Amino acid sequence: MTANAANGLAITQQIWHNQPQKHPIHLVILNLMPTKVTTELQFLKCFNDLKQDVTLTFLYPQSHHFKNSSLDELEEYYFNLHQVSNQDFDGLIVTGAPVEKLAFTQVDYWLEFNRLITWATHHVREALFECWAAQASLFVDFKIPKKQLRNKLFGIFTATNINPHSRLTQNFTIKKHIKMPQSRYSTSILDQNHLPGDLKVIIDSQEAGPMILRSASHHHTYITGHPEYDDDTLAQEYYRDQQKQITINPPQHYFSDQTIKQVDYSWQATSHLIYQNWLNIIEHATA
């Protein structure tokens, strides 16, 4: 089917072209990534390959001090939470953000993030949080803290266990090598034998830890990685950090030869299934 952008930079710059739709699922995305257009396109391309028509509306955090984006552009082509506060959406996605080294309360849009979760309780059917946003939402929902990792978790990691009873794992089998990009300096402190409330680990990795968690009572899905990433995103992050003279190891299980040029893009099928199953949950809730 089709994915359309209701607003944003990709549609404004005519990088993405909308198509006719019938009864689309309406998603709102808080885009916290510094690469705004790239992230818009990643989600548009992912959802464009799925079964339902989807319209994406992009938000920016009004309380954030931007270094890599023009505030004037965002104010013109994005919405903030206040501007959509009276609207209802089928789903909410909050992207990752490069703030894992900060305590939650040190993030300048922390209060706005909390207001977003409160607003979503009454205005969206399902919410999906990725990378830092997953850690932040787990803290808001269950008071689960995070800790800094000794080394950045960086690369493509394979699942070793899945919960076959979750609607998020329909059509998944471990034999299909469920994979996901990870790019983070912190992790939630989880005791999988004593998870709070109705929180469940849906997909787990021996190397990377939980990949997907779910709370049915909150209608929240927590994804610890970046299923939306393009084939070259980890490479771009690696080269960027090298240029900044940041100590960084090559992403694990990603470069497929010694020249550091060819990459493994085998997580695309996993990403499509994750987003498709999440849309199916939304569609079931609206039926």
Side-chain angles (χ1 to χ4, degrees):
M1 302 299 278
T2 63
N4 284 356
N7 66 338
L9 299 173
I11 191 69
T12 300
Q13 298 173 10
Q14 297 187 344
I15 302 171
W16 188 264
H17 300 280
N18 286 341
Q19 301 294 325
Q21 293 183 323
K22 292 183 179 179
H23 310 297
I25 292 174
H26 292 276
L27 304 180
V28 60
I29 298 181
L30 179 63
N31 187 357
L32 302 175
M33 294 292 282
T35 51
K36 291 288 184 287
V37 176
T38 298
T39 300
E40 288 179 33
L41 289 171
Q42 287 172 349
F43 280 104
L44 284 163
K45 287 186 292 185
C46 282
F47 284 103
N48 201 56
D49 291 334
L50 305 183
K51 295 178 181 179
Q52 297 92 338
D53 285 337
V54 176
T55 296
L56 307 182
T57 297
F58 294 98
L59 304 183
Y60 75 97
Q62 194 175 17
S63 50
H64 182 48
H65 175 70
F66 291 92
K67 296 180 181 178
N68 300 301
S69 302
S70 164
L71 180 57
D72 289 340
E73 269 194 333
L74 292 179
E75 288 178 340
E76 184 171 1
Y77 301 121
Y78 270 50
F79 294 133
N80 58 51
L81 178 58
H82 176 72
Q83 291 171 309
V84 301
S85 60
N86 293 322
Q87 298 182 39
D88 295 325
F89 294 88
D90 298 306
L92 163 71
I93 296 175
V94 184
T95 73
V99 293
E100 315 101 288
K101 293 183 179 181
L102 298 176
F104 291 130
T105 55
Q106 291 179 313
V107 176
D108 57 8
Y109 48 81
W110 179 243
L111 292 178
E112 189 173 356
F113 178 84
N114 280 262
R115 287 197 296 271
L116 176 75
I117 291 181
T118 300
W119 168 83
T121 302
H122 305 285
H123 292 275
V124 301
R125 297 180 184 276
E126 289 286 335
L128 186 152
F129 303 89
E130 295 192 356
C131 199
W132 174 85
Q135 297 173 27
S137 185
L138 285 169
F139 181 76
V140 173
D141 293 343
F142 296 105
K143 302 303 179 186
I144 295 173
K146 68 181 178 76
K147 65 178 180 181
Q148 296 298 303
L149 296 171
R150 181 173 299 178
N151 296 302
K152 184 178 185 179
L153 186 66
F154 191 42
I156 307 300
F157 296 92
T158 302
T160 51
N161 190 39
I162 65 173
N163 179 341
H165 306 295
S166 171
R167 285 185 289 173
L168 286 166
T169 58
Q170 288 184 2
N171 301 313
F172 272 108
T173 66
I174 207 69
K175 295 179 180 179
K176 289 185 178 179
H177 301 295
I178 301 166
K179 297 184 178 182
M180 186 183 297
Q182 299 278 346
S183 179
R184 52 188 169 90
Y185 286 97
S186 62
T187 190
S188 297
I189 303 174
L190 290 164
D191 180 353
Q192 293 196 41
N193 294 317
H194 299 90
L195 292 173
D198 68 339
L199 184 65
K200 294 181 180 179
V201 175
I202 305 302
I203 297 180
D204 196 21
S205 165
Q206 188 172 356
E207 280 189 286
M211 286 182 170
I212 300 179
L213 303 99
R214 168 86 178 158
S215 167
S217 64
H218 286 84
H219 302 280
H220 285 179
T221 298
Y222 317 87
I223 299 180
T224 62
H226 288 275
E228 82 282 4
Y229 270 10
D230 288 325
D231 59 344
D232 64 345
T233 305
L234 290 179
Q236 295 298 326
E237 292 184 356
Y238 175 62
Y239 298 136
R240 175 203 65 197
D241 287 354
Q242 280 193 320
Q243 290 177 352
K244 292 180 178 180
Q245 297 184 333
I246 297 172
T247 302
I248 184 75
N249 293 321
Q252 293 178 260
H253 318 302
Y254 176 68
F255 292 124
S256 57
D257 64 9
Q258 298 302 313
T259 63
I260 313 187
K261 291 183 180 178
Q262 298 179 7
V263 301
D264 172 8
Y265 193 24
S266 58
W267 69 89
Q268 186 180 36
T270 297
S271 300
H272 285 165
L273 272 175
I274 290 170
Y275 291 127
Q276 183 62 70
N277 287 341
W278 185 64
L279 286 185
N280 292 345
I281 291 174
I282 292 175
E283 195 169 52
H284 178 78
T286 59

